[in-house]
Amino acid sequence: MVNSIKEKLNETDTISEIRLMLGHDKNNVCVVVEGESDQALFRALLSNKVILFQSYSSKIGVDNIVKKYFMRNKRVIGIRDKDYSKKPISSNCFFCDYSCVEMMILSIDSCSERLFCNFYKGSTFDKDTIKEYCLERLELLSRLRQLNELKKWKIHFDGIKPGRLHNINISVMEKAIVDEINLQNPSNIIDIKRKNLCAKYSKCTSIQDYLQITNGHDYINLFCEICKKHYKSVSITSIEQAFRTSFGPSEFKLTKLYNSLHEYQIKKNLSIVP
């Protein structure tokens, strides 16, 4: 287990703290992650030689620290969501499996089963059908997020809550999502041209396809709304916490991220994963 965690600092202080920790012990490995919840997750998964740092600016901060200041230092690594990037910015920066940490966790059957058993009290779904149901209804929103990043549309999605727009009819729900995005971005709307561009992408045909593009917060928001029908006290916060507590060392070892870190530590003679 990680023994030391550094809370969110500004860029200058973060760089200074990392340099201090590197000089303090030549066996230390500084791992930069996106936020507080990622620190909580990886604290129980990485070795006691790791010092966890919270990025000053989410994934952008992770990339900047690794690339701008420590590109050639094997003892500073970054772990971040892949989102819609194709490859990491350097050999010492690592992506979570699929699009983000939540989708990496959801891909593990034992984790998704625990989440289902803890929060869904109805009889309509089982652990597999509820996952597919949510992912299907988020596909258009996920594609729009993807295109927004790739095409630099600069559309803001912060206020989009798919749970509030939930509808059993996918077409109705997708229309509501587009209408909500346009309402919140009146000078930068999803027009016909952008809709047509989105339609050119192949439809997802497997759970793995969905996991590659789905935003974790979107999934949790929709999953929470469905669970609330039979479990009134459930909350987004409780589900977010359960996602991470369902994912332990045995589940971590099933991921590509673990394998990549393990290969890196052997090659560089470091201690990152137990």
Side-chain angles (χ1 to χ4, degrees):
M1 177 186 286
V2 173
N3 288 324
S4 182
I5 290 179
K6 299 297 180 181
E7 300 300 334
K8 186 174 181 179
L9 304 168
N10 62 35
E11 181 177 4
T12 301
D13 289 340
T14 300
I15 303 310
S16 297
E17 279 287 317
I18 290 175
R19 286 174 174 155
L20 182 65
M21 292 299 103
L22 292 174
H24 179 70
D25 185 338
K26 64 182 179 61
N27 294 312
N28 282 342
V29 178
C30 296
V31 178
V32 187
V33 295
E34 290 192 41
E36 185 178 353
S37 59
D38 297 313
Q39 284 184 317
L41 174 70
F42 287 108
R43 183 177 189 182
L45 302 176
L46 302 181
S47 86
N48 60 10
K49 292 299 181 182
V50 166
I51 301 168
L52 279 169
F53 286 82
Q54 183 178 340
S55 164
Y56 60 86
S57 183
S58 192
K59 65 181 181 182
I60 296 173
V62 175
D63 284 351
N64 284 347
I65 290 169
V66 172
K67 184 176 181 179
K68 187 176 177 181
Y69 297 99
F70 300 101
M71 177 72 92
R72 293 180 176 84
N73 194 315
K74 67 179 184 179
R75 292 197 288 138
V76 180
I77 70 171
I79 299 175
R80 49 155 288 194
D81 289 345
K82 179 183 178 184
D83 289 327
Y84 307 109
S85 302
K86 291 185 178 181
K87 62 181 182 179
I89 48 94
S90 72
S91 61
N92 52 336
C93 193
F94 299 87
F95 286 156
C96 294
D97 293 22
Y98 300 104
S99 66
C100 58
V101 68
E102 291 87 359
M103 294 303 104
M104 178 172 72
I105 295 169
L106 194 66
S107 72
I108 305 297
D109 286 342
S110 58
C111 296
S112 60
E113 183 170 4
R114 290 186 199 111
L115 291 164
F116 172 81
C117 292
N118 274 283
F119 295 108
Y120 184 70
K121 310 299 182 184
S123 57
T124 304
F125 300 105
D126 60 31
K127 69 178 179 67
D128 294 317
T129 56
I130 196 168
K131 178 161 59 178
E132 185 174 6
Y133 180 92
C134 291
L135 292 170
E136 282 180 340
R137 279 152 187 78
L138 294 171
E139 183 175 7
L140 177 62
L141 177 57
S142 302
R143 287 296 185 198
L144 290 172
R145 284 186 181 275
Q146 181 182 32
L147 282 168
N148 185 57
E149 184 163 319
L150 297 178
K151 302 295 182 181
K152 303 188 187 306
W153 287 345
K154 297 183 179 179
I155 292 171
H156 297 289
F157 290 87
D158 294 347
I160 308 303
K161 308 295 183 187
R164 188 170 59 82
L165 306 171
H166 172 235
N167 195 294
I168 191 170
N169 186 307
I170 294 178
S171 296
V172 172
M173 183 169 174
E174 289 182 341
K175 182 181 183 305
I177 287 171
V178 172
D179 289 345
E180 186 68 19
I181 293 171
N182 288 343
L183 183 66
Q184 297 195 28
N185 296 269
S187 60
N188 192 15
I189 66 169
I190 306 294
D191 56 14
I192 294 298
K193 184 178 179 180
R194 287 174 172 177
K195 286 180 183 178
N196 289 340
L197 183 60
C198 192
K200 288 181 180 180
Y201 279 74
S202 299
K203 295 284 288 182
C204 294
T205 58
S206 67
I207 294 296
Q208 285 68 36
D209 286 348
Y210 288 116
L211 296 176
Q212 293 288 3
I213 63 171
T214 305
N215 176 280
H217 299 295
D218 289 342
Y219 184 90
I220 290 173
N221 191 274
L222 180 56
F223 178 72
C224 182
E225 185 64 28
I226 292 167
C227 292
K228 273 184 177 179
K229 184 175 180 181
H230 303 282
Y231 184 15
K232 301 300 183 185
S233 62
V234 69
S235 69
I236 288 173
T237 299
S238 62
I239 294 175
E240 286 176 338
Q241 292 172 344
F243 254 81
R244 284 159 174 79
T245 55
S246 74
F247 188 73
S250 60
E251 288 80 16
F252 185 38
K253 288 182 180 180
L254 300 174
T255 66
K256 292 179 181 178
L257 174 60
Y258 176 88
N259 289 331
S260 296
L261 292 170
H262 189 258
E263 289 175 8
Y264 182 86
Q265 79 172 8
I266 292 174
K267 183 178 179 181
K268 303 295 185 180
N269 192 28
L270 300 170
S271 176
I272 302 172
V273 292

